[in-house]
Amino acid sequence: DTGVSQNPRHKITKRGQNVTFRCDPISEHNRLYWYRQTLGQGPEFLTYFQNEAQLEKSRLLSDRFSAERPKGSFSTLEIQRTEQGDSAMYLCASSPTRGGDMNTEAFFGQGTRLTVV
Amino acid sequence: SQQGEEDPQALSIQEGENATMNCSYKTSINNLQWYRQNSGRGLVHLILIRSNEREKHSGRLRVTLDTSKKSSSLLITASRAADTASYFCATVFTNAGKSTFGDGTTLTVKP
């Protein structure tokens, strides 16, 4: 396993179009997170999955955003009717729970850079 | 806001010198983690320190945690040009493991 994989790495889209990003976490990591990062800022939490269940969504995640993790493995993040303010790096991370220990590190992918023109 | 805040925002040092970055946060935590990010890339996990720990080491990295002051520090000893990156602290408040990040310290190590 080579780590968390995100596709595509870059996406340029016109305002109003829909986009979908994919994240493949590290195998057997049951927790998966999506973050958004803009230039000069730290990542902002968007949503979190424990296996296939979406357990938390940030208020940052408007109705235009939806995320799924249908089989508890890969995840997709869809943005509908994109706006220029959606331009950012979208980061995915996964982490294991070891013997019920929830204090484990998160492994990040390289991100998908979205530019809305 | 519950996010961690790093200090300083930017730090420039010569190769071989030590670099110290600080992080402050506002509420009780489960753990605190430090990450490195090279320009335009993903984040690389450096160290996790639990709320009941006071200090951890990993190679040239030393992290301290003072829960009474709600602060942490990251020390990089004998810095190298390859350490040039942004460094973020992330605080974890719940068992969900969701991290809340600060805006980072940009470290430049001059050869």
Side-chain angles (χ1 to χ4, degrees), chain B residues 11 13-14 16-20 75-79:
Chain B
L11 182 60
I13 59 174
Q14 293 292 137
E17 294 180 339
N18 295 343
T20 300
L75 169 67
I76 304 174
T77 60
S79 63

Side-chain angles (χ1 to χ4, degrees), chain A residues 30-34 45-50 53-57 95 102, chain B residues 95-98:
Chain A
N30 54 356
R31 295 192 288 177
L32 186 148
Y33 310 86
W34 284 98
F45 170 79
L46 294 178
T47 190
Y48 154 64
F49 290 85
Q50 173 96 16
Q54 188 175 21
L55 297 185
E56 190 170 348
K57 272 177 77 168
S95 66
M102 307 296 270
Chain B
N95 286 333
K98 176 187 81 173

Side-chain angles (χ1 to χ4, degrees), chain A residues 9 31 33 35 37 40-45 48 50 56 89 91 95 101-111 113, chain B residues 3 30-31 33 35 37 39-45 47-48 50 88 92 94-104:
Chain A
R9 292 291 308 277
R31 295 192 288 177
Y33 310 86
Y35 291 85
Q37 186 179 26
Q41 307 288 314
E44 294 176 296
F45 170 79
Y48 154 64
Q50 173 96 16
E56 190 170 348
M89 175 81 88
L91 294 163
S95 66
D101 182 3
M102 307 296 270
N103 288 303
T104 56
E105 65 271 29
F107 294 83
F108 279 79
Q110 293 298 304
R113 183 169 296 284
Chain B
Q3 72 182 82
N30 284 8
N31 66 69
Q33 305 183 36
Y35 290 83
Q37 185 177 38
S39 181
R41 307 294 297 275
L43 281 81
V44 174
H45 186 270
I47 288 185
L48 180 155
R50 297 167 186 260
F88 294 91
V92 178
T94 70
N95 286 333
K98 176 187 81 173
S99 295
T100 303
F101 288 83
D103 288 336

Side-chain angles (χ1 to χ4, degrees), chain A residues 29-110:
Chain A
H29 279 194
N30 54 356
R31 295 192 288 177
L32 186 148
Y33 310 86
W34 284 98
Y35 291 85
R36 179 173 67 189
Q37 186 179 26
T38 53
L39 199 62
Q41 307 288 314
E44 294 176 296
F45 170 79
L46 294 178
T47 190
Y48 154 64
F49 290 85
Q50 173 96 16
N51 299 311
E52 66 275 10
Q54 188 175 21
L55 297 185
E56 190 170 348
K57 272 177 77 168
S58 165
R59 282 171 285 181
L60 293 173
L61 221 61
S62 75
D63 291 344
R64 297 184 297 105
F65 289 71
S66 62
E68 293 183 343
R69 193 182 184 196
K71 297 182 180 178
S73 57
F74 74 91
S75 175
T76 57
L77 177 68
E78 181 183 17
I79 309 174
Q80 296 182 326
R81 304 182 303 282
T82 52
E83 302 172 355
Q84 287 188 319
D86 297 331
S87 295
M89 175 81 88
Y90 289 84
L91 294 163
C92 175
S94 69
S95 66
T97 50
R98 299 192 187 100
D101 182 3
M102 307 296 270
N103 288 303
T104 56
E105 65 271 29
F107 294 83
F108 279 79
Q110 293 298 304

Side-chain angles (χ1 to χ4, degrees), chain B residues 54-101:
Chain B
R54 293 296 167 259
E55 188 170 313
K56 283 190 87 167
H57 297 256
S58 177
R60 293 183 296 113
L61 306 180
R62 172 177 169 252
V63 168
T64 61
L65 179 65
D66 187 336
T67 52
S68 66
K69 295 181 179 177
K70 294 186 172 55
S71 67
S72 174
S73 68
L74 170 66
L75 169 67
I76 304 174
T77 60
S79 63
R80 305 167 182 168
D83 294 328
T84 294
S86 293
Y87 291 82
F88 294 91
C89 73
T91 46
V92 178
F93 300 96
T94 70
N95 286 333
K98 176 187 81 173
S99 295
T100 303
F101 288 83

